[in-house]
Short mmCIF file of all heavy atoms in Angstrom, two decimals:
data_model
loop_
_atom_site.label_atom_id
_atom_site.label_comp_id
_atom_site.label_asym_id
_atom_site.label_seq_id
_atom_site.Cartn_x
_atom_site.Cartn_y
_atom_site.Cartn_z
N THR M 1 8.50 -26.58 -10.56
CA THR M 1 8.00 -27.35 -11.71
C THR M 1 8.56 -26.77 -13.01
O THR M 1 9.05 -27.51 -13.87
CB THR M 1 6.46 -27.35 -11.72
OG1 THR M 1 5.99 -27.97 -10.52
CG2 THR M 1 5.90 -28.06 -12.94
N ASP M 2 8.51 -25.45 -13.15
CA ASP M 2 9.04 -24.82 -14.37
C ASP M 2 10.55 -25.01 -14.49
O ASP M 2 11.07 -25.16 -15.60
CB ASP M 2 8.69 -23.33 -14.40
CG ASP M 2 7.34 -23.07 -15.07
OD1 ASP M 2 6.82 -23.98 -15.74
OD2 ASP M 2 6.84 -21.95 -14.94
N ALA M 3 11.27 -25.02 -13.39
CA ALA M 3 12.72 -25.26 -13.44
C ALA M 3 13.01 -26.66 -13.98
O ALA M 3 13.95 -26.85 -14.76
CB ALA M 3 13.34 -25.06 -12.06
N ILE M 4 12.21 -27.63 -13.59
CA ILE M 4 12.40 -29.00 -14.09
C ILE M 4 12.05 -29.08 -15.57
O ILE M 4 12.82 -29.63 -16.37
CB ILE M 4 11.58 -30.00 -13.25
CG1 ILE M 4 12.14 -30.04 -11.82
CG2 ILE M 4 11.61 -31.39 -13.89
CD1 ILE M 4 11.24 -30.75 -10.83
N TYR M 5 10.90 -28.52 -15.96
CA TYR M 5 10.55 -28.50 -17.39
C TYR M 5 11.65 -27.80 -18.19
O TYR M 5 12.03 -28.25 -19.27
CB TYR M 5 9.22 -27.78 -17.62
CG TYR M 5 7.98 -28.54 -17.24
CD1 TYR M 5 6.93 -27.89 -16.59
CD2 TYR M 5 7.81 -29.88 -17.55
CE1 TYR M 5 5.76 -28.56 -16.25
CE2 TYR M 5 6.65 -30.56 -17.20
CZ TYR M 5 5.63 -29.89 -16.55
OH TYR M 5 4.48 -30.56 -16.22
N SER M 6 12.16 -26.69 -17.68
CA SER M 6 13.22 -25.95 -18.37
C SER M 6 14.46 -26.80 -18.56
O SER M 6 15.07 -26.79 -19.63
CB SER M 6 13.56 -24.69 -17.56
OG SER M 6 14.68 -24.03 -18.08
N SER M 7 14.82 -27.54 -17.54
CA SER M 7 16.06 -28.33 -17.61
C SER M 7 15.98 -29.42 -18.67
O SER M 7 17.00 -29.81 -19.24
CB SER M 7 16.41 -28.93 -16.25
OG SER M 7 15.48 -29.93 -15.91
N ILE M 8 14.78 -29.93 -18.94
CA ILE M 8 14.64 -30.98 -19.95
C ILE M 8 14.10 -30.44 -21.27
O ILE M 8 13.84 -31.22 -22.20
CB ILE M 8 13.79 -32.16 -19.44
CG1 ILE M 8 12.36 -31.72 -19.09
CG2 ILE M 8 14.47 -32.85 -18.26
CD1 ILE M 8 11.40 -32.86 -18.76
N GLY M 9 13.91 -29.13 -21.35
CA GLY M 9 13.43 -28.51 -22.59
C GLY M 9 12.01 -28.93 -22.95
O GLY M 9 11.72 -29.21 -24.12
N ASP M 10 11.12 -28.95 -21.97
CA ASP M 10 9.78 -29.48 -22.18
C ASP M 10 8.70 -28.45 -21.83
O ASP M 10 7.83 -28.69 -21.02
CB ASP M 10 9.62 -30.74 -21.31
CG ASP M 10 8.36 -31.53 -21.65
OD1 ASP M 10 7.77 -31.32 -22.73
OD2 ASP M 10 7.96 -32.37 -20.81
N GLY M 11 8.77 -27.29 -22.46
CA GLY M 11 7.75 -26.28 -22.25
C GLY M 11 7.77 -25.71 -20.85
O GLY M 11 8.82 -25.57 -20.23
N ASP M 12 6.58 -25.40 -20.34
CA ASP M 12 6.45 -24.85 -18.99
C ASP M 12 5.12 -25.29 -18.41
O ASP M 12 4.35 -26.00 -19.05
CB ASP M 12 6.61 -23.33 -19.00
CG ASP M 12 5.60 -22.61 -19.87
OD1 ASP M 12 4.49 -23.14 -20.10
OD2 ASP M 12 5.90 -21.51 -20.33
N ILE M 13 4.85 -24.85 -17.21
CA ILE M 13 3.64 -25.28 -16.51
C ILE M 13 2.38 -24.88 -17.29
O ILE M 13 1.40 -25.62 -17.33
CB ILE M 13 3.64 -24.74 -15.06
CG1 ILE M 13 2.69 -25.55 -14.18
CG2 ILE M 13 3.34 -23.26 -15.01
CD1 ILE M 13 2.87 -25.26 -12.70
N GLY M 14 2.41 -23.73 -17.95
CA GLY M 14 1.26 -23.28 -18.74
C GLY M 14 1.04 -24.11 -19.99
O GLY M 14 -0.08 -24.25 -20.46
N THR M 15 2.10 -24.70 -20.53
CA THR M 15 1.99 -25.59 -21.68
C THR M 15 1.24 -26.87 -21.30
O THR M 15 0.37 -27.33 -22.02
CB THR M 15 3.40 -25.98 -22.20
OG1 THR M 15 4.12 -24.80 -22.53
CG2 THR M 15 3.32 -26.89 -23.40
N HIS M 16 1.63 -27.42 -20.15
CA HIS M 16 1.07 -28.70 -19.71
C HIS M 16 -0.25 -28.55 -18.96
O HIS M 16 -1.08 -29.46 -19.00
CB HIS M 16 2.08 -29.44 -18.84
CG HIS M 16 3.34 -29.78 -19.57
ND1 HIS M 16 3.42 -30.84 -20.45
CD2 HIS M 16 4.56 -29.19 -19.59
CE1 HIS M 16 4.64 -30.89 -20.97
NE2 HIS M 16 5.34 -29.90 -20.46
N PHE M 17 -0.42 -27.43 -18.25
CA PHE M 17 -1.60 -27.21 -17.41
C PHE M 17 -2.12 -25.78 -17.59
O PHE M 17 -2.01 -24.95 -16.69
CB PHE M 17 -1.27 -27.46 -15.92
CG PHE M 17 -0.78 -28.85 -15.65
CD1 PHE M 17 0.58 -29.11 -15.59
CD2 PHE M 17 -1.68 -29.89 -15.47
CE1 PHE M 17 1.05 -30.40 -15.34
CE2 PHE M 17 -1.22 -31.17 -15.22
CZ PHE M 17 0.15 -31.44 -15.16
N PRO M 18 -2.70 -25.47 -18.74
CA PRO M 18 -3.13 -24.09 -19.00
C PRO M 18 -4.22 -23.63 -18.02
O PRO M 18 -5.10 -24.40 -17.64
CB PRO M 18 -3.67 -24.13 -20.43
CG PRO M 18 -3.88 -25.56 -20.75
CD PRO M 18 -3.00 -26.37 -19.85
N ASN M 19 -4.12 -22.34 -17.65
CA ASN M 19 -5.13 -21.81 -16.72
C ASN M 19 -6.46 -21.52 -17.42
O ASN M 19 -7.40 -21.09 -16.78
CB ASN M 19 -4.61 -20.58 -15.97
CG ASN M 19 -4.32 -19.42 -16.89
OD1 ASN M 19 -4.61 -19.44 -18.07
ND2 ASN M 19 -3.74 -18.37 -16.33
N THR M 20 -6.53 -21.80 -18.70
CA THR M 20 -7.79 -21.69 -19.43
C THR M 20 -8.58 -23.00 -19.39
O THR M 20 -9.71 -23.05 -19.85
CB THR M 20 -7.51 -21.30 -20.90
OG1 THR M 20 -6.60 -22.26 -21.46
CG2 THR M 20 -6.92 -19.90 -20.98
N ASP M 21 -7.97 -24.05 -18.85
CA ASP M 21 -8.60 -25.37 -18.77
C ASP M 21 -9.23 -25.51 -17.38
O ASP M 21 -8.54 -25.51 -16.37
CB ASP M 21 -7.55 -26.46 -18.98
CG ASP M 21 -8.13 -27.86 -19.02
OD1 ASP M 21 -9.29 -28.05 -18.59
OD2 ASP M 21 -7.40 -28.77 -19.45
N GLU M 22 -10.57 -25.64 -17.35
CA GLU M 22 -11.27 -25.75 -16.07
C GLU M 22 -10.86 -26.99 -15.28
O GLU M 22 -11.06 -27.04 -14.06
CB GLU M 22 -12.79 -25.72 -16.29
CG GLU M 22 -13.31 -24.33 -16.55
CD GLU M 22 -12.97 -23.33 -15.44
OE1 GLU M 22 -13.25 -23.61 -14.26
OE2 GLU M 22 -12.41 -22.27 -15.76
N ALA M 23 -10.28 -27.99 -15.93
CA ALA M 23 -9.80 -29.17 -15.22
C ALA M 23 -8.67 -28.82 -14.25
O ALA M 23 -8.40 -29.56 -13.31
CB ALA M 23 -9.32 -30.24 -16.21
N ASN M 24 -8.02 -27.68 -14.49
CA ASN M 24 -6.91 -27.25 -13.62
C ASN M 24 -7.36 -26.31 -12.51
O ASN M 24 -6.56 -25.93 -11.66
CB ASN M 24 -5.82 -26.59 -14.45
CG ASN M 24 -5.24 -27.55 -15.46
OD1 ASN M 24 -5.04 -28.72 -15.16
ND2 ASN M 24 -4.97 -27.06 -16.65
#
């Protein structure tokens, strides 16, 4: 997932799905 975000310059898994969010 992070490799794909990296390739398109779109943050990382923590940007989109933070481990501080109980929804995750």
